[in-house]
């Protein structure tokens, strides 16, 4: 198998759309990847995959020709290390609200000197064609750690979070952001506080040389990210794609 591509492509300045799978089914993961998304995230926070289904979905993404990304369950940084050992090209950690959260994440997901990731890359060395020294030298740069900014606390600490060595990028969660910013009054991912967060996160990423990335509930939100120079934009999910297709079909044929 050829070397991973996601980190290289983002470092080269490309902007990539990312598919999203929550159904915990390798065929759904493969279908999204094979539709042409260059990367597909397997959602293990709000999606239905535990470790075994994440593993199967990751191979589905690979079979469909895309780069696998894994969003881990909230606070489960050991899960990040397991996803990386399997071949995730990036991991996304939800609810990173402080530099301390970010440091704990990096501890699990990066080898020294950045963190304390435990050694266990048998599969990765084999399929990416590296010996142990090549792997150790390359892994921290090949597999990306993205920290989710999705609360008021995270926005207040965005510079400190972005400054943590080993955090490769920030990833906005606009749904939680809108709920947090409104004090629980509204879930409205297109509201002005989310747009202001996009600017604040983009600026922090520029200051600290990190990737600005995020989730878009709609193509309109994806455009807002694109206008601001975000380089990895997740849009849609298998569940939503199925519902949209089903609804469109019912509308076309009437009931
Ligand atoms: C959010 O918008 O809060 C997310 O976590 C996106 O998946
Ligand atoms: Mg969220």
């Amino acid at each position: 198998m050829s070397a991973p591509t996601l980190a290289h492509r983002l470092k080269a300045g490309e902007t990539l759309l990312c598919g999203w799978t929550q159904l915990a089914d390798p065929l759904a993961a493969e279908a999204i990847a094979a539709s042409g998304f260059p990367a597909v995230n397997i959602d293990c926070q709000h999606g239905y995959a535990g470790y075994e289904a994440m593993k199967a979905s990751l191979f589905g993404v690979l079979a469909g020709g895309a780069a696998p990304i894994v969003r881990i369950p909230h606070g489960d940084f050991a899960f990040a290390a397991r996803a990386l050992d399997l071949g995730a090209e990036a991991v996304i950690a939800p609810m990173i609200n402080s530099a301390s959260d970010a440091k704990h994440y990096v501890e699990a997901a990066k080898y020294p000197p950045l963190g304390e990731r435990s050694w266990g890359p048998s599969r990765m060395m084999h399929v990416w064609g590296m010996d142990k020294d090549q792997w150790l030298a390359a892994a921290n740069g090949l597999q990306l750690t993205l920290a989710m900014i999705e609360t008021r606390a995270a926005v207040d600490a965005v510079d400190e979070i972005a400054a943590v060595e080993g955090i490769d990028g920030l990833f906005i969660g606009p749904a939680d952001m809108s709920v947090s910013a409104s004090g629980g009054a509204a879930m409205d991912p297109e509201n002005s506080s989310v747009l202001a967060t996009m600017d604040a996160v983009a600026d922090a990423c520029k200051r600290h040389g990190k990737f600005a990335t995020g989730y878009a509930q709609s193509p309109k939100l994806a455009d807002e990210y694109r206008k601001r120079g975000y380089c990895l934009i997740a849009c849609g999910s298998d569940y939503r794609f199925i519902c949209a297709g089903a609804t469109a079909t019912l509308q076309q044929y009437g009931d």
Side-chain angles (χ1 to χ4, degrees):
M1 198 177 118
S2 55
T5 54
L6 185 66
H8 291 128
R9 292 182 73 175
L10 295 183
K11 281 175 194 161
E14 286 191 57
T15 300
L16 302 178
L17 269 188
C18 176
W20 196 271
T21 175
Q22 62 183 132
L23 291 180
D25 186 312
L27 294 174
E30 182 191 51
I32 295 176
S35 297
F37 282 99
V40 177
N41 175 68
I42 301 153
D43 186 6
C44 300
Q45 183 194 21
H46 294 300
Y48 312 114
Y51 177 79
E52 288 302 329
M54 179 275 284
K55 182 168 88 173
S57 294
L58 189 142
F59 287 108
V61 173
L62 290 174
I69 298 176
V70 173
R71 177 163 77 169
I72 64 172
H74 185 178
D76 190 352
F77 301 134
F79 196 96
R82 298 190 77 190
L84 294 168
D85 282 348
L86 262 183
E89 294 194 30
V91 281
I92 301 173
M95 295 281 174
I96 298 296
N97 291 332
S98 64
S100 161
D101 288 349
K103 283 177 191 160
H104 284 121
Y105 176 29
V106 167
E107 246 167 55
K110 295 288 190 188
Y111 293 115
L114 297 176
E116 296 293 340
R117 177 175 169 190
S118 175
W119 184 261
S122 317
R123 170 172 191 270
M124 298 329 305
M125 289 194 300
H126 183 60
V127 299
W128 288 352
M130 294 183 199
D131 67 22
K132 61 183 171 41
D133 298 324
Q134 290 169 323
W135 173 257
L136 187 55
N140 281 350
L142 285 181
Q143 296 181 296
L144 304 175
T145 48
L146 306 178
M148 286 196 76
I149 302 296
E150 50 183 349
T151 63
R152 281 196 289 209
V155 174
D156 290 345
V158 70
D159 251 303
E160 289 95 313
I161 294 169
V164 171
E165 255 199 290
I167 293 293
D168 296 305
L170 304 182
F171 186 98
I172 296 185
D176 276 310
M177 190 64 237
S178 67
V179 173
S180 174
S182 67
M187 201 300 270
D188 175 13
E190 288 175 20
N191 78 13
S192 55
S193 71
V194 171
L195 299 182
T197 302
M198 283 185 189
D199 290 326
V201 166
D203 289 346
C205 286
K206 259 190 214 124
R207 279 193 292 278
H208 297 280
K210 305 295 169 82
F211 297 121
T213 70
Y215 185 83
Q217 269 81 357
S218 64
K220 178 171 179 286
L221 218 49
D223 266 353
E224 296 291 344
Y225 283 115
R226 217 191 298 258
K227 275 190 234 155
R228 291 165 171 81
Y230 278 67
C231 62
L232 182 71
I233 304 163
C235 197
S237 74
D238 44 12
Y239 193 88
R240 284 162 175 250
F241 295 149
I242 290 170
C243 294
T247 305
T249 302
L250 285 170
Q251 277 168 353
Q252 193 175 347
Y253 291 105
D255 50 10

